[in-house]
Amino acid sequence: MCEGHYVIRDGKYGIFAGCSHYPVCKSTLKIPELVYEFIRKYGVNIYQWQKQCWKCQQETPVYSYYLYYELSELDPIFSVLHGIGVGDISSIDRLLSLNVPTVKMKYSKTLNEHYMANVCLHCGAIQGHNYVVTDPHEIINSLCIIMI
Ligand SMILES: [Zn+2]
Ligand SMILES: [Zn+2]
């Protein structure tokens, strides 16, 4: 692409990202490609906070990301990604599990698939799949940034 930036457009085949210099520049990206570009360029914020384990009742750290939160500052359309967190984007999950000992690959018999999840630091119990948080700032204890 040229010196322009990608903007979200609604085309014949649904939404896509097109260069801001269209029609001079016809560069386009599919939405998943745009998201990946964004992560490669800016990294992704990983949020960590404390949760009481449902099993042993002790406090354990849990980690997740709220990609929609950063992306929706690029374009409000990304707020539709609301609710996407640990277990949903495999490349981020893999990095997270390499950096955080309590984020582990788990197997679900019901779903018949592997997925990444937070486990309790003390007893190893799985701490749920998704965390619904409206504003990540509500839960920030500390913030680390992983660059892909
Ligand atoms: Zn361009
Ligand atoms: Zn526990």
Side-chain angles (χ1 to χ4, degrees):
M1 113 160 177
C2 63
E3 298 294 289
H5 60 276
Y6 287 111
V7 292
I8 307 296
R9 299 186 193 284
D10 203 350
K12 215 185 333 180
Y13 303 105
I15 61 166
F16 67 99
C19 183
S20 56
H21 289 172
Y22 181 86
V24 176
C25 172
K26 295 195 168 53
S27 171
T28 60
L29 282 181
K30 290 184 181 130
I31 297 302
E33 293 167 345
L34 179 74
V35 171
Y36 192 67
E37 277 268 315
F38 179 86
I39 297 171
R40 279 224 313 225
K41 201 163 165 190
Y42 301 106
V44 55
N45 292 325
I46 303 296
Y47 298 91
Q48 181 242 303
W49 70 105
Q50 300 287 320
K51 190 176 185 282
Q52 191 182 30
C53 171
W54 60 270
K55 199 169 183 184
C56 73
Q57 312 296 322
Q58 296 188 71
E59 292 263 302
T60 184
V62 288
Y63 297 80
S64 195
Y65 43 85
Y66 295 92
L67 200 51
Y68 73 89
Y69 193 76
E70 284 105 30
L71 285 168
S72 59
E73 296 193 350
L74 269 188
D75 194 296
I77 206 155
F78 286 111
S79 57
V80 298
L81 295 175
H82 189 102
I84 290 185
V86 161
D88 294 320
I89 301 178
S90 57
S91 53
I92 305 178
D93 291 341
R94 220 173 306 123
L95 271 164
L96 201 51
S97 69
L98 290 174
N99 289 279
V100 179
T102 52
V103 172
K104 289 189 168 144
M105 188 67 96
K106 287 285 162 190
Y107 178 73
S108 159
K109 267 189 190 156
T110 359
L111 299 170
N112 187 28
E113 62 181 28
H114 287 89
Y115 66 99
M116 210 60 89
N118 285 278
V119 299
C120 175
L121 182 65
H122 312 282
C123 74
I126 296 179
Q127 302 299 302
H129 178 41
N130 275 316
Y131 302 98
V132 179
V133 174
T134 323
D135 178 350
H137 292 120
E138 288 168 11
I139 48 121
I140 294 181
N141 264 340
S142 63
L143 175 72
C144 42
I145 298 179
I146 293 183
M147 299 299 290
I148 294 182

